[in-house]
Amino acid sequence: MIPILPTTRHELGLLYRARPAMAGLLLAGTAAQRWPLNGSPVRKVPGIGWVTADPVVARTVLRDHRSFTILGEGGVGNLWAQILGDWVLDLFDGAGHHDLRSRTRELFTEAVSRELVSAAWDERVAVAGEALRSGGTLDVAHLARILVGRMVISLLGVPRPAGHGGSWPDDEGALRIFETGERLATVALGTAGSTILTPAQVATARGIAAELNAGIPDGWRNAPPDTLLGRCRELGLGLTETSGLASLLMVAGTETAASAMARITALLVDTGEQHRMLASLRAGTEALRAGTEAGAAVVALGAAVDDERAARLLNPGEADPVENVVREGLRVTSPASVIGRGVAADVEVGGAALRAGERIMLLVWSANAAAGPFRADRPYVRESRQLWFGAGRHLCLGAALARAEIGTLLRMLWSEDRPLRIVRRRAARGVLIPAWSELVVTR
């Protein structure tokens, strides 16, 4: 029997408190998936344009680069071209984007992503883990924002503020950077009807982007080769391309990553699936003690051991319980709940005739939710694949980094083989990405 609700009541509450109208549209998309009417899975909604919650249609749209564009009305490239400049038109789509992706494919491999997370987070994650081990509480939502802020500082080479004493980055600086990214993201609020910004919105967003990217020129010139900016330089990326890549990461990887970390933590507790994950981790530990190769691989990955041979023993998300939870958690939460595209040429998709100049909204959250509620050991879902990261040439460049970030947090939270309980929680209101503003846990 198919459950009536696609996810937990807490998750539904997050969607509603973030954007009530969008929550209604996403739930309608889920209902359309479960109880389809006769006709096309692509519908036209007044004031929005074409809409679909079908995962196969969504992937078709995202992979059809001739008929659909990220740069037209409805696409995020159209939004950011107004903010960052016309060079976006060259780098965000078409031949320029293909060239950029080809030259940056080594920036965020699984191994590099683990190294980036370790370098930026190890010390702070250890402090958080000690707080739990000593019997205290931990605000996972607050910690997630700090960690993502630290990652942004590391990736973009954000310089130490003038007159700042002590270590850098610190929690206060990381939160300030994260909040700056949040301010940039709020520009996209209210663009469900159109991605054309007002002059005031453009001016505000440009000021925020300039603030975030202030350290990139110096970092691009002088950063060592083992840093992101240094790698960009060594790969032959110019300053404009590097700035564009950094802006992409800033826009796509801050609120979404922090949201996913706290929401997946809450899902594990609320559904009781933390017990299934812990049992699987325990089984892997016992298998290792028995000397089996599979158990050795599970525990090596679970402890984030940097051993490429061990990593190759498992396919991502298949046998490592934490990786499986990361994948399943991203499916259920789908932080980037909607993806927009402009229609570049007349095309028929899903039985509907779309015309050039129109727009289509892909209800990613609805498409992913159709597979069922959160389950820690759910097998790979072929229909949705990894739609939460997009598809085609615009598949999220930082997907491996996001998985490494979430996995690192989950391993710390459940490192003692003991379940967590939620002490207190509070949902964020009126935000682009549904999120917990507070999620306090303890063991």
Side-chain angles (χ1 to χ4, degrees), residues 153-200:
I153 289 172
S154 175
L155 292 179
L156 302 191
V158 177
R160 179 193 301 268
H164 182 280
S167 62
W168 177 256
D170 57 13
D171 286 0
E172 182 181 352
L175 285 172
R176 187 166 56 251
I177 289 294
F178 183 87
E179 289 161 3
T180 303
E182 278 187 311
R183 287 194 286 124
L184 184 59
T186 59
V187 173
L189 280 173
T191 58
S194 174
T195 50
I196 304 299
L197 301 175
T198 67

Side-chain angles (χ1 to χ4, degrees), residues 1 26 40 78 80 119 124 146 170 192 202 223 246 306 313 327 330 332 359-360:
M1 179 178 178
L26 294 174
S40 170
N78 181 48
W80 296 112
R124 188 60 182 83
I146 288 172
D170 57 13
V202 170
D306 188 15
L313 293 174
R327 185 187 64 205
L330 286 168
V332 174
R359 60 184 294 186
I360 183 168

Side-chain angles (χ1 to χ4, degrees), residues 27-366:
L27 288 173
T30 303
Q33 276 283 88
R34 294 183 175 191
W35 301 287
L37 300 175
N38 293 330
S40 170
V42 183
R43 313 287 175 84
K44 201 163 192 179
V45 178
I48 293 178
W50 294 99
V51 173
T52 186
D54 185 285
V56 176
V57 172
R59 286 204 316 276
T60 299
V61 170
L62 293 172
R63 293 174 64 85
D64 183 354
H65 308 300
R66 291 185 174 87
S67 304
F68 300 95
T69 176
I70 197 173
L71 299 176
E73 168 64 52
V76 70
N78 181 48
L79 188 73
W80 296 112
Q82 299 166 70
I83 297 168
L84 301 176
D86 288 343
W87 57 264
V88 167
L89 304 177
D90 296 323
L91 291 187
F92 273 40
D93 212 350
H97 184 75
H98 177 73
D99 178 62
L100 178 66
R101 292 295 295 248
S102 297
R103 288 193 283 160
T104 57
R105 65 182 57 179
E106 299 302 317
L107 282 179
F108 296 109
T109 64
E110 300 290 338
V112 168
S113 296
R114 289 196 299 270
E115 292 169 4
L116 288 170
V117 172
S118 177
W121 287 12
D122 274 1
E123 182 179 338
R124 188 60 182 83
V125 167
V127 171
E130 183 55 37
L132 280 179
R133 277 190 293 275
S134 64
T137 60
L138 179 67
D139 185 343
V140 177
H142 182 72
L143 175 64
R145 292 191 290 271
I146 288 172
L147 293 176
V148 171
R150 283 175 174 260
M151 181 59 70
V152 171
I153 289 172
S154 175
L155 292 179
L156 302 191
V158 177
R160 179 193 301 268
H164 182 280
S167 62
W168 177 256
D170 57 13
D171 286 0
E172 182 181 352
L175 285 172
R176 187 166 56 251
I177 289 294
F178 183 87
E179 289 161 3
T180 303
E182 278 187 311
R183 287 194 286 124
L184 184 59
T186 59
V187 173
L189 280 173
T191 58
S194 174
T195 50
I196 304 299
L197 301 175
T198 67
Q201 287 176 311
V202 170
T204 298
R206 285 179 176 173
I208 297 170
E211 183 180 342
L212 285 169
N213 293 341
I216 291 178
D218 181 67
W220 176 76
R221 294 185 185 93
N222 303 311
D226 61 344
T227 65
L228 176 70
L229 296 180
R231 284 193 185 99
C232 287
R233 184 189 62 245
E234 298 297 311
L235 288 169
L237 297 181
L239 179 57
T240 297
E241 293 171 307
T242 301
S243 298
L245 182 63
S247 299
L248 271 174
L249 294 171
M250 188 67 222
V251 169
T254 50
E255 285 189 282
T256 50
S259 167
M261 284 190 274
R263 289 167 70 185
I264 294 171
T265 299
L267 276 170
L268 280 163
V269 177
D270 291 336
T271 61
E273 288 293 302
Q274 62 173 326
H275 299 290
R276 193 189 305 271
M277 181 183 72
L278 286 172
S280 296
L281 287 169
R282 206 173 297 124
T285 302
E286 292 168 358
L288 175 61
R289 289 170 181 160
T292 67
E293 184 182 76
V298 169
V299 175
L301 281 172
V305 172
D306 188 15
D307 184 343
E308 288 298 319
R309 290 177 300 169
R312 283 196 296 269
L313 293 174
L314 301 176
N315 292 320
E318 287 189 347
D320 173 25
V322 175
E323 291 300 312
N324 213 80
V325 164
V326 170
R327 185 187 64 205
E328 173 69 355
L330 286 168
R331 180 191 70 81
V332 174
T333 60
S334 297
S337 56
V338 174
I339 296 176
R341 286 291 184 268
V343 183
D346 292 357
V347 63
E348 182 174 316
V349 60
L354 282 61
R355 299 288 176 255
E358 295 182 323
R359 60 184 294 186
I360 183 168
M361 288 181 65
L362 313 176
L363 306 184
V364 174
W365 184 90
S366 309

